[in-house]
Amino acid sequence: MGEAFIAFLVVMILLAVFTRETFVVVLLYLFAGSLLVGRWWSGRVISRVRFHRKFDSKVFPGESVAVQVEVINGSLLPAVWMRVQDYYPLELAEVKTFQQVISLGPREKTRLNYTLKAQKRGYYTIGPLFI
């Protein structure tokens, strides 16, 4: 989406140069400002997001294990839209990822829960988690 938005801004610049309409220039400033503020905002929020994952490390085949992911926004800015995606082996679930879209206010935390089921013996790593 970033490339399409920048291409849109280039078209707006060309329209502003050739038409010299005040309305087009104002729209250009609004869209360029929203791009800059959005990148600054998301960079500040993402740099201060932390997470903790809790689960039982030993499970026998056929048993289920509950996984709890706590996501903490340490920023003074709200996280308006954030996708949390956690990966794990296919031997523990039917799909290889858990994902959920959340929003967090300033200094807010939330808990996400999902369940994994051990199909067979082995050592499996859970993660990485992407935000």
Side-chain angles (χ1 to χ4, degrees):
M1 168 147 169
E3 297 86 21
F5 195 74
I6 291 174
F8 173 73
L9 286 179
V10 169
V11 169
M12 291 295 290
I13 289 170
L14 293 174
L15 274 174
V17 167
F18 289 123
T19 62
R20 296 184 186 206
E21 287 287 330
T22 307
F23 178 71
V24 176
V25 174
V26 169
L27 281 180
L28 174 65
Y29 285 143
L30 287 174
F31 284 120
S34 68
L35 174 70
L36 294 174
V37 169
R39 290 202 176 172
W40 174 82
W41 188 297
S42 63
R44 296 279 291 190
V45 170
I46 288 297
S47 68
R48 297 216 167 101
V49 170
R50 300 181 320 271
F51 72 91
H52 303 287
R53 188 185 298 120
K54 297 178 187 176
F55 59 93
D56 287 335
S57 61
K58 295 180 182 177
V59 180
F60 292 104
E63 289 184 346
S64 296
V65 61
V67 179
Q68 182 182 56
V69 178
E70 184 177 67
V71 182
I72 304 159
N73 179 10
S75 173
L76 292 174
L77 299 171
V80 180
W81 184 92
M82 195 169 23
R83 183 177 62 179
V84 178
Q85 193 168 13
D86 201 5
Y87 288 91
Y88 40 78
L90 283 174
E91 289 84 5
L92 297 177
E94 294 175 359
V95 294
K96 68 176 184 173
T97 183
F98 164 80
Q99 67 179 8
Q100 191 165 351
V101 175
I102 61 172
S103 63
L104 292 173
R107 307 269 187 204
E108 186 180 2
K109 64 181 174 180
T110 189
R111 288 185 176 95
L112 307 173
N113 299 306
Y114 62 93
T115 304
L116 299 175
K117 185 174 182 178
Q119 303 293 331
K120 58 183 179 178
R121 291 178 51 125
Y123 177 77
Y124 303 104
T125 58
I126 297 178
L129 185 127
F130 291 104
I131 296 179

